[in-house]
Amino acid sequence: MPSLKVTAQDVARAAGVSQPTVSRVFTPGNKVSKGMEEKVRAAADALGYRPNTLARSLITGQSMTIGLIVAYLDNPFYTEALERLSLTLKERGYNIMIFMAANQAADVDHVVNDLLSHQVDGIIMASVSTSSALTERLLDEGVPLILFNRGHANAQLSSVTSANFDGGHRVAEFLLAGGHGRIAHISGWQGASTGLDRAEGFMAGLKAAGQKPLAMVDGLFSRKAAAEAARTLFAQDTTPDAIFVGNDHMAFAVLEVLRGELGLSVPGDVSVVGYDDVAMAAWPSFELTTVRQPANRMVEAVVNQLIDQIEGRANGPKQIEINGPLILRSSAHVPEGWS
Amino acid sequence: MPSLKVTAQDVARAAGVSQPTVSRVFTPGNKVSKGMEEKVRAAADALGYRPNTLARSLITGQSMTIGLIVAYLDNPFYTEALERLSLTLKERGYNIMIFMAANQAADVDHVVNDLLSHQVDGIIMASVSTSSALTERLLDEGVPLILFNRGHANAQLSSVTSANFDGGHRVAEFLLAGGHGRIAHISGWQGASTGLDRAEGFMAGLKAAGQKPLAMVDGLFSRKAAAEAARTLFAQDTTPDAIFVGNDHMAFAVLEVLRGELGLSVPGDVSVVGYDDVAMAAWPSFELTTVRQPANRMVEAVVNQLIDQIEGRANGPKQIEINGPLILRSSAHVPEGWS
DNA sequence: AATTGACTTGAATACGTATTCTTACATGCT
DNA sequence: AGCATGTAAGAATACGTATTCAAGTCAATT
C-alpha cells in the first residue's frame, strides 16, 4: 500500500538520485542514461509514484485541460459528440472539464471565472446560445475558443458547424423534387445560427424554384414547441404536405403528433425531414429522413483547430463547415430517380 | 484588456499591500479590514485578477475536482444524471472532470493513473462494469470513491442504486396481478449488479406466487441483444404474454420488434414493462410502463455521501438504495383496482 | 500608566514539479 | 598529452498561491 503522497523527492531519495533526475525520467523528450532511468523507474514503481499534474501545470503553464461549456444534453446529438470529444481529446493528451451553462446571461460571469481560474488551455462551447457577452469576454482573455455547432457573426471566433445553409437548401430541393407543393418549416431556434442558417438555406432553395413556404414557425429546438407548432399547422385551412423540421429531436415530436394525435400517414399524407441524423433517427419507430451532421468529422475538426490554436500553430481563427449527406429513410417520399 | 497573467503579486503591488493580504481577500473565512479589502478588490478588478486554482490546489491539497468515470452515454438515464450531477456538484463548489472508460481491463490502469495524477478529490463511477481490479486499486489509493447505479460485493465500497431487487419484485407482482401467465424477462447485463438484482427480485416475486418465468435472456443492456432476444422468444412454441425488460433503453427496442416486426399489439397481446423511466418513456411512441429511478434523488445521495467522505464527515462507506414508484402507462395491462 | 490581549498585516516558507545553470566527466581530436 | 566538445546529473530557482510565524497596532483592562 503506497503512502498517501509520494513525491518526486521521495523517489529521488529511494533511488539515490536528485529530484530533477526523477522529473526528467517522467518528462518525455529528456535525455537520461539507461542506468539512471532503470533505477528511478524501479523506485517509482515500488513507491507507487505518480507525477502531480497540478504542480506540473503550474510550472509549464499548460493544464492540458479543455473546458467544455454545454447548455443541455437532451438532444442526443450533443451526447454523441461529447463522447467522441472526450475520446479524441484524450488521445491528444487533453482532459475535459465540463461546465453546464444555464444559458442565463447572469451565469456567464460565474462560468467564465470558473473556467479561467482553472487555467484551461482552451474552451469548446457547444449548444450554448451565442451570448455575445460571453464570447467577447473570453476572446478578450485570449483563451483559445471554438464554437461547436454554432456559428457567430464575429469573424474572430473559430467555429465548426455542418453546412447548415447548404443542408437546408438541399432539403428544399429534395422536397420539391418529391412533388410537394405545400411545404412548411418548423425551424430550429432563430436565435441560434444553426437554426437560422438551416431556415435561410431552406428558403433560398424554395425561392430558387420560384416557391415560397406554406408556413414558418420557430420550434425553439424544443419538443414541446415543435409539437405545438405541428398542431397549429394542421389547424389551418391549408395544411402542409411536407414539413422540414430544424433538428431530429424536434422531428420526433412532430412525427408523434402527426401519426398519433392527428392520425396522419407519414409519408403518405405528409413527408417529414429532420436534421442531425442522431442514432434514434434510424430506429424503426421513426425511420426519419434527415440531413446527417457527421459528429465524428465535426469533432475531429474541432479538436484539430483548437489544439492548433493552443499550440500557436493556427493561422488565425477559422470557420469550418462540414458537409453531410441527406439520409433517405421512410419518413419522406423519395422522388423518382433520386440518387 | 487585462495582461495575459495577473498574479496576486501584481495586485498586491498595485494596491500597495502584501501578497498574503491579497490571498486573504480571496480566501473565504479570513479576516481582512474593510479598507484593505476595498483597496485590494479595486486593484484586482482593474487588473482583471483571478486566483489560480492550480496553485491554490497545490498548497491546500484540495483540487475541488471530482473525476467521473463513465463507459457510455447511449442510455439517456446517464445523460440526465450527468447533467444533474454537474449542477449539484457545482453548487457545492466542485467541478467535474470526465473520463470515458472503454470498459476494457487494459484501459483501467491508464484511467486510474490519469485520475489520480490529476489529484481529484473523489471519484464517481457510473455505468461502468464493476471491474474488481479497478475498484480495488482505487480503494488502495485511498481516494473517496462511489458507484452510481452499480452495486458491488465489496462492502468497503460506497454505492447509490435504486432498490433494484425490490423494483424487480414489484414488477413481478404487477404482472401477475394483471393476469399474465407466461412471463419472460429480458434482463440487464448479468455481469452488473443492476441487471442481476432486478432479475433476482423479479424471480423472487414470481416464486413467491409459486410461479416461474417462461424464459430469461440476458439483454446485455444492448438494444441489439434485446431485440434479438425478443425475436427468439416469439419463435418458440409457447410465447410470452408479458415481458419485463431490464431497462427502458432495451425496452424501446423490444417494443419496436413486437409492434413493428411481429405485428403484435402492446399491451393487447403482450405487456411490456421497463426500468428507469427516462424521459423518452413518456413519449407517445412508447408510453412505457416502467419503474422509475429517481435520478435527482440518486444524484443528491451520491453527492452527499461523496462529499461526506471527502471531508471526513462520513461514518465509513455506505450502500444507499433509493426506491422509486412503478409508473403506469399504456404498455402493460393494468390490473383491476391497482393503485 | 502599564500590561494584556485581540486583531491585522507583512515576511518567510511550503506545495511538487520543470527548467536553467553549473559542474563533472568521458570522448574525440590534433 | 593537451584541449575542445558533448553529455549527463546535481544545485538552485521559479511557478502562484495559502499558511505559519513574528511583529506591530490599538483598545481595553487593572
Side-chain angles (χ1 to χ4, degrees):
Chain A
M1 78 192 67
S3 90
L4 219 47
K5 289 290 170 193
V6 183
T7 99
Q9 203 53 264
D10 300 331
V11 176
R13 242 187 311 268
V17 302
S18 72
Q19 175 267 323
T21 300
V22 176
S23 166
R24 283 188 260 257
V25 169
F26 285 91
T27 314
N30 264 323
K31 256 324 204 188
V32 181
S33 75
K34 195 69 188 162
M36 282 286 153
E37 163 131 24
E38 279 172 12
K39 268 199 300 187
V40 170
R41 289 213 181 273
D45 285 353
L47 296 179
Y49 170 71
R50 217 180 346 265
N52 183 325
T53 303
L54 265 43
R56 175 178 286 177
S57 298
L58 185 56
I59 195 161
T60 61
Q62 306 218 298
S63 65
M64 301 306 281
T65 298
I66 302 297
L68 175 66
I69 309 184
V70 71
Y72 46 77
L73 293 172
D74 333 12
N75 184 341
F77 177 72
Y78 291 109
T79 307
E80 295 173 18
L82 166 57
E83 199 166 333
R84 292 195 158 282
L85 216 43
S86 168
L87 294 173
T88 309
L89 281 172
K90 174 136 304 173
E91 269 172 25
R92 310 280 294 257
Y94 288 85
N95 284 99
I96 287 187
M97 190 164 275
I98 197 164
F99 294 81
M100 294 278 174
N103 242 343
Q104 313 277 4
D107 284 348
V108 167
D109 262 21
H110 205 265
V111 170
V112 173
N113 281 332
D114 234 23
L115 269 166
L116 296 180
S117 65
H118 274 279
Q119 312 297 111
V120 296
D121 291 340
I123 297 176
I124 299 173
M125 289 182 51
S127 81
V128 102
S129 69
T130 321
S131 145
S132 289
L134 174 54
T135 51
E136 301 292 333
R137 175 90 185 279
L138 286 172
L139 275 182
D140 276 0
E141 299 283 348
V143 188
L145 167 63
I146 188 162
L147 302 183
F148 179 79
N149 209 27
R150 282 288 188 281
H152 196 274
N154 188 339
Q156 293 298 103
L157 261 169
S158 288
S159 61
V160 172
T161 61
S162 68
N164 290 306
F165 186 93
D166 183 63
H169 202 281
R170 291 208 316 278
V171 171
E173 293 169 4
F174 171 77
L175 289 175
L176 288 170
H180 300 286
R182 306 184 307 279
I183 311 182
H185 181 32
I186 299 178
S187 74
W189 180 39
Q190 295 295 292
S193 71
T194 315
L196 196 60
D197 293 351
R198 289 172 195 170
E200 289 181 344
F202 179 70
M203 302 284 286
L206 291 183
K207 192 171 179 186
Q211 303 284 327
K212 283 200 311 190
L214 174 67
M216 263 204 54
V217 194
D218 192 331
L220 302 172
F221 288 138
S222 141
R223 273 181 59 85
K224 207 162 152 190
E228 194 50 40
R231 288 184 199 105
T232 306
L233 285 178
F234 281 88
Q236 312 300 315
D237 290 339
T238 313
T239 61
D241 60 2
I243 307 180
F244 170 40
V245 189
N247 73 3
D248 290 355
H249 189 60
M250 292 188 296
F252 299 140
V254 169
L255 282 176
E256 292 179 331
V257 168
L258 300 184
R259 289 181 180 143
E261 289 180 28
L262 306 175
L264 295 168
S265 152
V266 177
D269 301 319
V270 201
S271 283
V272 175
V273 177
Y275 208 110
D276 276 351
D277 193 30
V278 298
M280 272 167 56
W283 287 14
S285 300
F286 306 110
E287 281 287 346
L288 183 67
T289 292
T290 186
V291 179
R292 171 172 298 164
Q293 290 204 103
N296 46 357
R297 273 159 58 211
M298 289 175 67
V299 164
E300 200 75 35
V302 164
V303 170
N304 284 337
Q305 172 67 16
L306 184 63
I307 294 184
D308 280 356
Q309 285 184 218
I310 289 174
E311 297 176 354
R313 218 181 313 107
N315 333 314
K318 231 193 246 179
Q319 286 81 38
I320 302 174
E321 283 200 352
I322 304 228
N323 225 318
L326 178 66
I327 305 295
L328 303 181
R329 298 205 182 86
S330 65
S331 72
H333 174 238
V334 181
E336 300 278 337
W338 188 273
S339 55
Chain B
M1 79 191 66
S3 91
L4 218 47
K5 290 289 170 193
V6 183
T7 98
Q9 203 53 263
D10 301 330
V11 176
R13 243 187 309 268
V17 302
S18 72
Q19 175 266 323
T21 299
V22 176
S23 167
R24 284 188 259 259
V25 169
F26 285 92
T27 314
N30 265 322
K31 257 328 210 183
V32 182
S33 74
K34 196 68 187 163
M36 282 286 155
E37 164 130 23
E38 278 171 11
K39 270 199 300 187
V40 170
R41 290 215 181 270
D45 285 353
L47 296 178
Y49 171 70
R50 217 181 344 265
N52 183 325
T53 303
L54 265 44
R56 174 178 285 180
S57 297
L58 185 55
I59 194 161
T60 62
Q62 306 218 295
S63 65
M64 301 307 281
T65 298
I66 302 296
L68 175 65
I69 310 184
V70 71
Y72 46 78
L73 294 173
D74 331 14
N75 184 342
F77 177 72
Y78 291 110
T79 308
E80 295 173 19
L82 166 57
E83 201 166 331
R84 294 195 156 280
L85 216 42
S86 169
L87 294 173
T88 309
L89 280 171
K90 174 138 304 171
E91 269 172 25
R92 310 282 294 258
Y94 287 85
N95 284 99
I96 286 188
M97 189 163 276
I98 197 165
F99 294 81
M100 294 279 174
N103 241 342
Q104 313 276 4
D107 282 348
V108 167
D109 262 21
H110 205 266
V111 170
V112 173
N113 280 332
D114 235 24
L115 269 167
L116 295 181
S117 65
H118 274 278
Q119 313 297 112
V120 295
D121 291 340
I123 297 175
I124 300 174
M125 291 183 50
S127 82
V128 101
S129 69
T130 321
S131 145
S132 289
L134 174 53
T135 51
E136 301 290 333
R137 175 89 185 279
L138 286 172
L139 275 183
D140 277 0
E141 300 283 348
V143 188
L145 167 63
I146 189 163
L147 304 182
F148 179 78
N149 208 27
R150 282 288 189 281
H152 196 274
N154 188 339
Q156 292 298 104
L157 263 169
S158 287
S159 62
V160 172
T161 62
S162 69
N164 289 308
F165 185 93
D166 183 61
H169 202 281
R170 291 207 318 276
V171 171
E173 292 168 5
F174 171 77
L175 289 175
L176 288 170
H180 300 285
R182 305 185 307 280
I183 311 181
H185 181 31
I186 299 177
S187 74
W189 180 40
Q190 294 296 291
S193 70
T194 316
L196 196 59
D197 293 350
R198 288 171 195 170
E200 289 182 346
F202 179 69
M203 301 284 285
L206 291 184
K207 193 171 177 186
Q211 303 283 329
K212 284 200 313 187
L214 176 65
M216 265 204 52
V217 195
D218 192 333
L220 302 171
F221 287 138
S222 142
R223 274 180 59 84
K224 207 162 153 192
E228 194 51 40
R231 289 185 199 103
T232 306
L233 286 178
F234 281 89
Q236 312 300 314
D237 289 341
T238 314
T239 60
D241 60 2
I243 307 181
F244 170 40
V245 189
N247 73 3
D248 289 356
H249 189 59
M250 293 188 296
F252 300 140
V254 170
L255 281 176
E256 292 180 331
V257 168
L258 299 184
R259 290 182 179 141
E261 290 180 26
L262 306 176
L264 295 168
S265 153
V266 177
D269 301 318
V270 201
S271 284
V272 174
V273 177
Y275 207 110
D276 276 352
D277 194 30
V278 298
M280 274 168 54
W283 288 13
S285 300
F286 305 111
E287 281 287 347
L288 182 65
T289 292
T290 187
V291 179
R292 172 173 296 164
Q293 291 204 103
N296 45 358
R297 275 159 56 210
M298 288 175 68
V299 163
E300 200 74 34
V302 164
V303 170
N304 284 337
Q305 171 67 15
L306 184 62
I307 294 184
D308 280 356
Q309 287 184 214
I310 289 174
E311 297 176 354
R313 220 180 314 104
N315 333 314
K318 230 194 249 180
Q319 286 81 38
I320 302 174
E321 284 201 351
I322 304 226
N323 225 319
L326 178 66
I327 304 295
L328 302 181
R329 297 204 181 87
S330 65
S331 72
H333 174 239
V334 180
E336 301 279 337
W338 188 272
S339 56

